[in-house]
Amino acid sequence: MKLWGGRFESGPSAVFERFSGSLDFDRRLIEADIRGSQAFARALERAGILTAEERGEIVTAFDQIRAESVHPEFFAGAADEDVHTLVIRKLKERAGAVADKIHTGRSRNEQVSLDTRLWLREECGDLQALLCGVMGRLLGLAHMNSGAIIPGYTHLRRAQAVLWPHYLLAYFEMFHRDWERFSEARRRANVLPLGSGALAGSGFPIDREAIAKDLGFDGITRNSMDVSGDRDFALDFLYACTITMIHLSRLAEDWILYSSDEFGWLELGDGVTSGSSLMPQKKNPDSLELIRGKSGRVMGCLTSLLVTMKGLPMTYNRDMQEDKVPLFEAADQVSGSLLMMSAVIDSTKLNPVPPATAAAESWVVATDLAEALARAGTPFHQAHQIVGRFVLESIRSGKKPSDWTAEEMQRFAPEFTGDFAVLLDPKQGMRSREIPGGTGLLAVASALAEAKERLGKLIV
Ligand code: ARG
């Protein structure tokens, strides 16, 4: 079936039909399309275009179509141009002539915007729930080794000692921001476009505010031309997806490293790793590598729609039909990756000895020493110099921090008085980092409690 054709002398060619049809992918919007059309039928009744009886027939027919649509054979052999056309054909088959009125003053341009918004706001909620799952598991893992010390890195070089929970909380914050971004994406999508017509506004007095209420939208869009040419809400969603994947990808990269023989910090469960067809000893972190790999695909989805939209003349252009493939693809990859990451976290165990040793045997305490000198009165630049020379001397003579005694330190630099030697243990220096957001034991304990409370408020 077509929703147009009167002004044509012959039908579309087979190649054009094949090329332009979108049912293969936009069938995923069927639930949204039916919901939107039912609300539109109620609006047409309020506008005096449908009688109560006609509206009743249409709404009931749509309920039946919805129930049928969950069976795969529903779509078998369908040759409709898109999901909107298919839904109207099914309505005609069920409800007969009255179906001819459902599209009064409505355009597929606004309908596709409506359907996508309805779908997208559900999807935001689903992804937010999965994000909460990952965040909760990070907190769980933090509690399992709340006192473990690891070297924190900059430039992938050991920098300063931090608590293992402090490291995990950093990812908690990233995923929390992602949660907020999906809230924002949902908020932006949650505005009713219906009533915009093709581009100039509906020619019928439909009560837009009433439809908005009916469908649970926060309000109505303000300009019909904007609606017709707008995919910002899809881009906002794709951006939120992309940043989430970047965070997942960075966590994956960390853990691929941390679970390697070279690091030896983490043991990933058998259930999320795989072996080699040739090398019998291998246990590979494929789940994490795939999360990292899929992040590229999601970034590609954002890029794809950005490029599609750039330079389109006002208002609707058929190019915009291409938005759905990247939207669905991104949503699926993000939800799959969040689920996978949850399973990885569940399976992961920290072996606290190697990271503690890595911290103790390196010079992550250098900053602690320099800051202690500064606290004792040595200007910081001089303190930095003194500790720099101390580290250089240690490297030359092959000494680890624990190889120094208090007397030797003082002989090296008279500024190292009293208790400086205790700072050679990374645990000690962390005590000076009780600032909010820092890695001090108490600061991290309260950050953990605060994060738990914040997460509790997200899960509603
Ligand atoms: N399938 C189309 C899309 O996704 C619906 C809009 C069709 N509008 C048109 N003017 N051809 O964008």
Side-chain angles (χ1 to χ4, degrees), residues 22 26 81-82 84 108-109 112 231 316 318 320-321 324:
S22 55
D26 67 16
E81 190 180 316
D82 55 23
H84 324 293
R108 279 182 295 162
N109 297 351
V112 73
R231 288 295 180 272
Y316 178 83
R318 191 67 180 271
M320 290 158 70
Q321 178 171 288
K324 278 166 286 297

Side-chain angles (χ1 to χ4, degrees), residues 293-363:
K294 284 168 192 288
S295 69
R297 274 168 79 172
V298 175
M299 231 171 276
C301 293
L302 171 63
T303 310
S304 155
L305 187 58
L306 283 169
V307 179
T308 300
M309 295 309 292
K310 174 191 170 298
L312 289 188
M314 282 284 272
T315 54
Y316 178 83
N317 298 269
R318 191 67 180 271
D319 316 42
M320 290 158 70
Q321 178 171 288
E322 297 296 313
D323 65 347
K324 278 166 286 297
V325 174
L327 262 186
F328 297 153
E329 160 83 353
D332 291 345
Q333 296 307 332
V334 175
S335 75
S337 299
L338 286 167
L339 274 171
M340 188 69 252
M341 189 55 92
S342 285
V344 170
I345 300 172
D346 282 341
S347 84
T348 295
K349 291 205 171 33
L350 174 75
N351 177 4
V353 178
T357 309
E361 292 185 346
S362 60
W363 282 96

Side-chain angles (χ1 to χ4, degrees), residues 45-61:
E45 181 195 355
R46 284 190 294 269
I49 294 155
L50 291 178
T51 64
E53 197 186 323
E54 288 172 327
R55 185 262 308 144
E57 282 173 40
I58 288 177
V59 170
T60 309

